[in-house]
Amino acid sequence: MPSITFIYADGTEKQVDAPVGLSVMEIAQKNDIDPIEGACGGSLACATCHLYVHPDWWGKALGDEDSITEEEEDMLDLAFDIRDKSRLSCQIQMTEDLDGMIVALPGADVDWAA
Ligand code: FES
């Protein structure tokens, strides 16, 4: 089973099982990762699933796309403390390639999110 490590704003980490096919937002919800709320259920209408993706997984997390979609960019503008490595986690589908992925929650003091 692939896994993801979430880094909280206070620096603590939590590694969780990450079933292929679920979105990273759904995986966060299943594991009670605050503050990933996912209020809109993944329909790009809330930005409560915002997090930072570690650069080592950034490209893989884009899937078949070359870049973030315009719709995701627009919604990200509404999120708290956006940085270069910001994504909406409902738009990241878990794959075997993302096994071991490191993500951080908004406000986390990680130097790789820029
Ligand atoms: Fe609402 Fe991701 S869950 S935009």
Side-chain angles (χ1 to χ4, degrees), residues 11-113:
T12 57
E13 299 182 6
K14 183 172 181 179
Q15 188 178 40
V16 302
D17 287 344
V20 169
L22 291 186
S23 73
V24 174
M25 179 273 282
E26 291 169 320
I27 292 165
Q29 281 184 332
K30 279 169 71 82
N31 290 280
D32 296 322
I33 306 286
D34 267 347
I36 302 293
E37 192 182 334
C40 76
S43 56
L44 271 181
C46 74
T48 63
C49 61
H50 169 222
L51 46 64
Y52 314 128
V53 174
H54 189 287
D56 288 355
W57 285 272
W58 177 262
K60 292 176 189 169
L62 289 171
D64 295 335
E65 309 292 330
D66 287 337
S67 60
I68 301 174
T69 64
E70 209 170 301
E71 292 82 1
E72 183 176 347
E73 288 275 13
D74 288 348
M75 194 50 61
L76 266 174
D77 284 342
L78 305 177
F80 164 71
D81 196 2
I82 54 169
R83 303 184 197 170
D84 286 353
K85 292 293 176 276
S86 287
R87 290 291 312 271
L88 293 177
S89 59
C90 68
Q91 300 302 301
I92 305 172
Q93 296 303 312
M94 192 63 199
T95 63
E96 293 286 351
D97 272 358
L98 292 178
D99 184 19
M101 179 164 65
I102 296 171
V103 296
L105 298 164
D109 185 18
V110 287
D111 56 8
W112 48 258

